[in-house]
Amino acid sequence: MRAGDRPVGQRTLVDLAFDAMFVRGFHDRVISFWNEGAERLYGWAREEAIGKVPRDLLGSVYPIPLEEIEDQLSTTGRWEGLIKQQRKDGSPVLVAARWGLQTDAAAKPSAILEINSDVSPSSVVNERLRRSEERFELLVSSVMDYAIFMLDTEGVISSWNTGAQRIKGYSAAEIIGRHFSIFYPPEDIADGKPARELVIAEREGKYEEEGWRLRKDGTRFWASVVITALKDETGQLRGFGKVTRDLTERRLAEERREAEVQAKADRLREYAARMAHLESTKAQFLNIASHELRGPLTVVRGYNSMLQDGSIPAEKIASVASLVEAKLAQMDTLVEQMLEIARIEHERFALNLELFDLRAVAADQLNALAPLAENHQLVMTPGSDRVMVEGDRSRITMVIGNLVDNALKYSPNGGDVTCTVTLDGPWARLAIHDNGIGIRPEHIATLFSRFGRLPTEENISIPGTGLGLYLCREIARRHGGDITVVSEFEKGSEFVLTLPLEQPLGAEGLSSPRGGPVRL
Ligand code: ADP
């Protein structure tokens, strides 16, 4: 009959114990008692075990010689230790032994009670746990997309997986034992960030963030980081688990998307600003134009009604007629300038090119303007050479007329207005010099802009549109030339038109990119 099949009535109390318990003689070491726990643990039935010596039956390997254990028992009455043994089926078993000594009536050692409990790592539960731990470790270590590693309580790295090696570039041998702050940029280290994260993780259970981290080669990557505090069952901090993901690609893609959206928004804003500017320029243009037209119109209307009601004496009519003529000419100029700007700003603006002598055209223009010069002297610097340019004769004539007209207008105290035409390397150079009011240096940049009338006291009484120089420079540039100015405040100014001597840019014309003369 098997031990386990014994009827309950025959079982002793010690049979109920979970541990293996048996008694063996102190001197002969022979087993005299064997409980059910011993049967379960070792597989030997009571009748098989009784009469045997434990060392032989169980193949016991003691941590110290058996004689020493027995000496200790006879002096102290107890012994505890780990013993390696074998079951009946030959499988190994590790037991935690707690032995006690039984003495006879004369207080001499007579028997030993051995209580042995199974602590083998190969016990089924332990084995399952060990396997599952092994599998888990394998899983963690082979994860590629996440850096998973452990830190001790101080932040020193104690484990490292494949993902960590891939993302951060360090091998396990290089990094285990180093402090985890090695992954942080210098500014974060200076700021105490790594230590702060551990404090938060310990307090809150975990710390999560996205931020820049460093790889071994010094390059930065955008990391998603979770640090988890690892505590034992008593709540004592044992270390930290850290999981890091490389989100650089995602971040770069996000940044690219943001940049695209931003660029689109910028383009839209720019476009809207351009349109708004255009609108306000248009409005300003119309305002100034109507204002400038209204002035001479009022004068003309005034003289007309005086003529009608006969309040102008006959001998004054001729001079009034020439005054009216001048005002009509002023209106004509403005309308002409506005039309010319509209043409120039149209994409299909074309120059009517012909070959002509710039000096001759300038001389003609001075002659035509001479009647306007009241207290001025219009002087053409002598020179016999012809200065041939290929350009739009009527437009260049208009440019020269404008420069001379300005020279007269802005030198109200009179003086010479000189025109000099010269050859300057591949350039034809035409300079209009006056001894007028001059221009302050800070105003030079405004001159050539649309409606670039200067905010000077003189300009209140000198009529003008602020369109002339803008138009002149645009025309010069469409010829591949330019207009520049040198001026001294209250002394006078010199405006210089340069045009290429040779074949210019063709009918379409081009603007000089840097504002200076260009040769193509
Ligand atoms: P405007 O119709 O006002 O003369 P322009 O475009 O021809 O317009 O000139 C722009 C501004 O440059 C003028 O309002 C004037 O203040 C200044 N300016 C032009 N030519 C001269 C000059 N020869 N001397 C001084 N200032 C000048």
Side-chain angles (χ1 to χ4, degrees):
M1 189 168 68
R2 283 186 30 81
D5 301 336
R6 259 191 310 274
V8 176
Q10 290 179 23
R11 296 167 76 182
T12 66
L13 267 180
V14 286
D15 280 332
L16 299 175
F18 185 77
D19 292 332
M21 298 171 81
F22 55 92
V23 180
R24 53 98 165 170
F26 184 81
H27 299 289
D28 62 7
R29 296 174 176 160
V30 168
I31 297 167
S32 59
F33 174 79
W34 188 257
N35 80 340
E36 279 184 23
E39 287 184 338
R40 268 196 308 272
L41 177 59
Y42 297 117
W44 293 109
R46 179 178 302 207
E47 41 287 350
E48 290 172 312
I50 286 177
K52 304 277 172 27
V53 172
R55 174 150 56 183
D56 302 339
L57 184 69
L58 305 172
S60 306
V61 179
Y62 303 100
I64 52 174
L66 183 56
E67 291 69 25
E68 282 181 31
I69 296 176
E70 286 167 347
D71 278 352
Q72 199 177 317
L73 274 161
S74 48
T75 49
T76 67
R78 313 171 39 83
W79 179 79
E80 285 184 35
L82 287 176
I83 310 172
K84 282 186 196 162
Q85 295 176 316
Q86 268 179 8
R87 296 191 182 88
K88 188 179 175 181
D89 64 7
S91 61
V93 58
L94 182 68
V95 298
R98 275 162 290 130
W99 293 2
L101 181 72
Q102 196 178 29
T103 49
D104 59 14
K108 294 268 187 250
S110 62
I112 294 171
L113 169 64
E114 294 194 15
I115 304 175
N116 296 340
S117 42
D118 183 3
V119 291
S120 336
S122 59
S123 65
V124 179
V125 177
N126 282 347
E127 180 62 12
R128 277 211 198 111
L129 200 64
R130 196 176 58 76
R131 283 224 197 107
S132 116
E133 270 174 11
E134 257 176 26
R135 276 201 302 268
F136 184 68
E137 264 172 35
L138 201 66
L139 173 76
V140 167
S141 74
S142 58
V143 165
M144 288 289 286
D145 293 339
Y146 293 79
I148 303 174
F149 53 100
M150 311 262 282
L151 308 176
D152 69 9
T153 51
E154 302 302 315
V156 173
I157 297 156
S158 58
S159 78
W160 197 242
N161 78 335
T162 318
Q165 169 151 5
R166 190 184 66 84
I167 293 174
K168 307 209 184 222
Y170 296 95
S171 69
E174 282 172 317
I175 202 71
I176 287 178
R178 305 287 297 270
H179 194 265
F180 84 115
S181 57
I182 193 168
F183 308 131
Y184 288 72
E187 61 274 17
D188 284 350
I189 296 176
D191 189 36
K193 192 168 189 293
R196 204 164 48 243
E197 290 180 3
L198 293 190
V199 169
I200 297 173
E202 186 181 357
R203 194 179 59 220
E204 316 274 334
K206 69 174 176 178
Y207 174 84
E208 270 181 286
E209 74 153 8
E210 287 190 9
W212 290 110
R213 295 291 187 275
L214 294 184
R215 297 184 216 274
K216 183 184 170 188
D217 63 9
T219 56
R220 287 177 185 223
F221 68 100
W222 186 254
S224 146
V225 177
V226 182
I227 303 177
T228 310
L230 304 174
K231 296 183 179 172
D232 64 17
E233 55 280 6
T234 68
Q236 177 77 27
L237 182 71
R238 291 290 176 207
F240 298 92
K242 197 167 177 222
V243 179
T244 302
R245 205 146 47 112
D246 181 355
L247 297 182
T248 313
E249 267 313 308
R250 196 192 75 184
R251 169 135 180 131
L252 289 179
E254 270 171 18
E255 278 178 359
R256 269 196 299 275
R257 253 195 319 277
E258 274 168 26
E260 273 166 25
V261 170
Q262 187 62 40
K264 239 183 233 162
D266 284 351
R267 276 201 300 276
L268 267 175
R269 239 195 322 276
E270 219 172 86
Y271 179 71
R274 237 190 7 249
M275 294 314 284
H277 176 71
L278 216 68
E279 278 309 308
S280 81
T281 312
K282 234 196 285 178
Q284 197 185 9
F285 191 95
L286 290 173
N287 251 335
I288 294 188
S290 50
H291 177 82
E292 293 303 327
L293 282 172
R294 197 168 286 137
L297 259 179
T298 312
V299 178
V300 172
R301 196 177 289 123
Y303 281 124
N304 191 39
S305 67
M306 285 163 81
L307 279 172
Q308 279 171 341
D309 64 22
S311 53
I312 298 176
E315 68 275 15
K316 289 274 173 72
I317 286 184
S319 64
V320 166
S322 71
L323 248 165
V324 167
E325 185 61 41
K327 290 295 161 190
L328 288 174
Q330 199 183 332
M331 287 193 282
D332 231 25
T333 309
L334 182 61
V335 170
E336 203 36 60
Q337 279 179 339
M338 281 162 48
L339 284 174
E340 185 68 350
I341 286 179
R343 274 193 292 266
I344 270 191
E345 290 183 354
H346 195 278
E347 284 171 4
R348 306 233 313 265
F349 170 75
L351 295 171
N352 302 314
L353 295 178
E354 60 182 300
L355 207 60
F356 61 89
D357 177 8
L358 186 63
R359 189 194 303 276
V361 168
D364 288 350
Q365 193 58 11
L366 285 197
N367 285 334
L369 291 171
L372 289 182
E374 291 158 3
N375 51 348
H376 298 85
Q377 212 34 53
L378 283 182
V379 184
M380 186 76 201
T381 308
S384 54
D385 291 343
R386 299 197 321 159
V387 179
M388 297 304 291
V389 292
E390 193 181 25
D392 190 323
R393 182 203 280 257
S394 68
R395 288 196 164 100
I396 295 297
T397 306
M398 192 275 283
V399 170
I400 299 169
N402 216 302
L403 294 180
V404 175
D405 186 47
N406 277 352
L408 296 173
K409 274 198 307 189
Y410 299 107
S411 48
N413 297 330
D416 286 356
V417 170
T418 320
C419 174
T420 312
V421 181
T422 47
L423 288 167
D424 184 6
W427 302 101
R429 188 177 184 279
L430 179 147
I432 305 290
H433 183 93
D434 67 58
N435 300 299
I437 59 176
I439 301 158
R440 290 178 195 273
E442 65 269 26
H443 286 153
I444 296 281
T446 323
L447 291 180
F448 295 95
S449 58
R450 280 216 285 187
F451 304 113
R453 291 225 82 197
L454 298 185
T456 58
E457 273 178 31
E458 293 84 355
N459 266 357
I460 296 170
S461 52
I462 301 175
T465 60
L467 291 176
L469 285 179
Y470 168 77
L471 202 54
C472 291
R473 181 178 261 185
E474 278 305 303
I475 289 172
R477 287 185 174 179
R478 302 289 165 133
H479 280 81
D482 205 357
I483 294 187
T484 52
V485 61
V486 177
S487 184
E488 206 176 330
F489 184 57
E490 290 180 340
K491 289 266 166 59
S493 310
E494 183 168 273
F495 285 79
V496 176
L497 163 71
T498 40
L499 292 172
L501 280 175
E502 294 158 14
Q503 181 79 19
L505 303 165
E508 294 288 328
L510 275 180
S511 285
S512 144
R514 268 170 280 108
V518 285
R519 290 200 61 201
L520 296 180

